[in-house]
Amino acid sequence: MLRIALPNKGRLAEDTRALFNDAGLEVRATGERALTASLGGEFQALFVRAGDIPEFVADGAADAGITGLDLIQESGRDLAELLDLGFGRCRLAVAASEEAGVERVDQITVGARVATSFPRLAARYFAEQGREIEIVPITGAAEIAPHIGIADLIVDLVSTGSTLRVNGLREVATILESTARLVVPRRVAEGAGGDDRKARALQELTAALGSVLRARGKRYVMANVPRTELEAVKRVLPGLNGPTVIDILNGGQHVAVHAVCDAATIYRTIADLKALGAQGILVTRIERLMA
Ligand code: AMP
């Protein structure tokens, strides 16, 4: 059995569950509040707080885990990343109140108090910057700290930046860009886990999640194009190894082309195909794309 620690609530929980569903590892919880659930086959989910996941994995209570890079780095535990899952995007930033007039790190005064629930990452950052500051460790929302006089600055997670704006704070510097990651203890990633069955299950998990993540950024395009335009079509539809070209029964001057394209630029691809005289253009999502 491969035990995977997953976030039990918050921003990461929903996206994680959607990813597992798409990968065919549906969460089969016995109830809303279940702390464990079968994911089918050899996989079992343990639902824990995102902040506790690095400890769970490092201590061997779980074989693998999914949580934010910010929490992984703050834990200081020796974990290896197997996948960047792309969601849960945020940055750990230094912010000061608008009135403080601090726009750059080198304007921060010696002994400034920094409220944060990321004391390790904050201390490391200011040490690297050669700034002597005092960390004020907190557990909840840091945004209030400058207003109630317990700190001059904060180090907190920012996603859209609206929480900072609403609280009259200005972003001064970015410490870390974060997304959710699949992690295992480093000794396991280096093949020293000593359990072949678990190692195989971990490979299967990584391949399944990775194939869904790769597919999300791609689309499958099919179109009928004039045979005379095939050279130009090849430039528009590079595909994985160039487009597949198929004869059409009674297709006349047209042949069918199929290719995998980037989802982000699909509108451009369609416009380019139309300009080359393509007909019957069809675009579909891809469930999985194996490496
Ligand atoms: P925003 O207003 O969108 O910049 O969000 C900032 C607030 O949401 C702060 O209170 C952060 O602690 C929290 N936050 C933003 N992104 C994340 C994340 N990926 N994980 C956990 N908390 C986050």
Side-chain angles (χ1 to χ4, degrees):
M1 190 64 78
L2 193 84
R3 290 157 303 165
I4 313 159
L6 303 180
N8 58 355
K9 55 184 176 188
R11 295 176 189 235
L12 298 180
E14 224 168 276
D15 286 337
T16 302
R17 199 174 273 238
L19 173 64
F20 274 69
N21 279 346
D22 287 353
L25 298 165
E26 206 170 324
V27 175
R28 299 166 195 184
T30 46
E32 273 282 295
R33 290 163 169 267
L35 301 178
T36 65
S38 168
L39 294 165
E42 294 211 49
F43 304 104
Q44 186 186 34
L46 309 178
F47 297 108
V48 269
R49 278 163 36 129
D52 291 337
I53 289 177
E55 307 292 340
F56 263 66
V57 177
D59 292 342
D63 301 300
I66 287 181
T67 193
L69 179 64
D70 52 320
L71 298 169
I72 294 163
Q73 294 217 346
E74 179 63 24
S75 78
R77 302 302 299 257
D78 199 14
L79 299 172
E81 280 174 30
L82 299 186
L83 283 177
D84 181 344
L85 308 180
F87 55 76
R89 191 171 292 280
C90 61
R91 54 192 184 276
L92 187 66
V94 182
S97 98
E98 298 275 7
E99 302 95 67
V102 176
E103 290 180 12
R104 297 188 316 270
V105 175
D106 60 13
Q107 295 170 327
I108 295 171
T109 52
V110 173
R113 294 160 305 160
V114 181
T116 185
S117 51
F118 291 85
R120 181 191 294 261
L121 288 177
R124 192 172 75 190
Y125 174 76
F126 286 108
E128 281 166 7
Q129 298 291 318
R131 299 272 115 194
E132 258 181 59
I133 52 99
E134 181 196 335
I135 298 282
V136 180
I138 53 158
T139 50
E143 296 89 2
I144 194 75
H147 300 293
I148 56 174
I150 62 165
D152 307 299
L153 301 158
I154 67 165
V155 165
D156 200 5
L157 296 176
V158 182
S159 175
T160 60
S162 67
T163 306
L164 291 186
R165 274 194 300 281
V166 174
N167 288 287
L169 298 165
R170 172 193 292 151
E171 219 169 317
V172 176
T174 299
I175 297 181
L176 175 77
E177 303 273 357
S178 179
T179 46
R181 310 291 161 108
L182 171 68
V183 287
V184 293
R186 187 167 305 282
R187 61 183 184 281
V188 171
E190 287 169 357
D195 184 334
D196 284 350
R197 207 161 149 190
K198 270 194 184 168
R200 250 199 323 277
L202 193 59
Q203 266 173 15
E204 275 176 31
L205 175 73
T206 313
L209 300 182
S211 68
V212 171
L213 294 169
R214 270 189 298 280
R216 283 181 177 176
K218 300 286 182 184
R219 295 291 181 269
Y220 196 67
V221 178
M222 294 167 260
N224 296 339
V225 300
R227 196 183 290 274
T228 49
E229 298 292 345
L230 272 179
E231 272 311 306
V233 167
K234 222 158 69 181
R235 285 192 289 276
V236 176
L237 288 184
L240 293 177
N241 304 303
T244 304
V245 180
I246 310 163
D247 279 326
I248 307 169
L249 192 63
N250 303 327
Q253 289 309 303
H254 284 79
V255 286
V257 287
H258 292 194
V260 174
C261 299
D262 286 332
T265 51
I266 198 70
Y267 291 101
R268 179 84 262 137
T269 305
I270 292 169
D272 289 347
L273 283 174
K274 278 189 174 164
L276 292 172
Q279 299 171 351
I281 302 170
L282 221 111
V283 181
T284 67
R285 289 181 183 277
I286 303 169
E287 277 191 22
R288 297 190 190 206
L289 196 60
M290 307 312 291

